[in-house]
Amino acid sequence: PALPVLPLLARQDERESLVRLLARGRSTRLTGAAGSGRTRLLDLVAEDCSDLAPDGVVRLNGFGRTSGDLLYDLFHAVYSAPLHRPDRDELLTYVREIGAVVVVDDLEFGGGGLDELLRATPECAFLLGAT
């Protein structure tokens, strides 16, 4: 049987703060060890942000993915083009137009890769979950 969904204890202030940042178009990173409730908090914030952006909320998994992989994942999540894999320049043109709250859990990169992802998607607000 499915386990009941338990409430997230003592995280309401953090949840509201993250929603406020995303509503202002700010990207932010949420860190926490395995078992700390990070993914559950990301789920709740994603629900709260469902009406903030024209392209809605896009959930991506960053585990084992590069910034380029995430750009393609974002493209395929927003555009209905299952058999189309645009070249790099075309991809950047498409993702530049996306306006979404993008929630990425288990992000494994930072630095230059993260800068590339954020620069390529100026109309998106990111909530990045990492250990």
Side-chain angles (χ1 to χ4, degrees):
L3 296 175
V5 176
L6 300 174
L8 200 58
L9 301 175
R11 302 290 290 269
Q12 188 61 29
D13 291 341
E14 193 173 3
R15 177 180 175 180
E16 291 170 0
S17 175
L18 290 169
V19 171
R20 279 194 307 274
L21 287 168
L22 294 167
R24 288 185 286 196
R26 304 280 310 267
S27 293
T28 188
R29 181 182 290 207
L30 175 67
T31 58
S36 66
R38 183 188 72 236
T39 299
R40 179 74 177 120
L41 182 56
L42 291 176
D43 291 341
L44 292 171
V45 172
E47 288 175 20
D48 293 343
C49 294
S50 63
D51 61 347
L52 289 182
D55 290 315
V57 175
V58 176
R59 296 291 311 256
L60 302 176
N61 186 340
F63 183 74
R65 312 292 286 164
T66 66
S67 61
D69 294 335
L70 291 179
L71 287 173
Y72 277 105
D73 292 346
L74 179 59
F75 167 78
H76 285 291
V78 173
Y79 294 103
S80 179
L83 301 177
H84 180 59
R85 183 166 174 91
D87 64 30
R88 180 77 178 168
D89 291 335
E90 187 181 12
L91 173 68
L92 293 175
T93 300
Y94 282 125
V95 298
R96 183 169 307 289
E97 302 301 317
I98 295 173
V101 173
V102 183
V103 179
V104 183
D105 198 6
D106 295 323
L107 185 69
E108 294 184 331
F109 62 84
L114 184 55
D115 288 342
E116 175 190 3
L117 181 65
L118 296 175
R119 267 194 317 272
T121 55
E123 299 300 317
C124 292
F126 283 83
L127 177 55
L128 307 165
T131 55

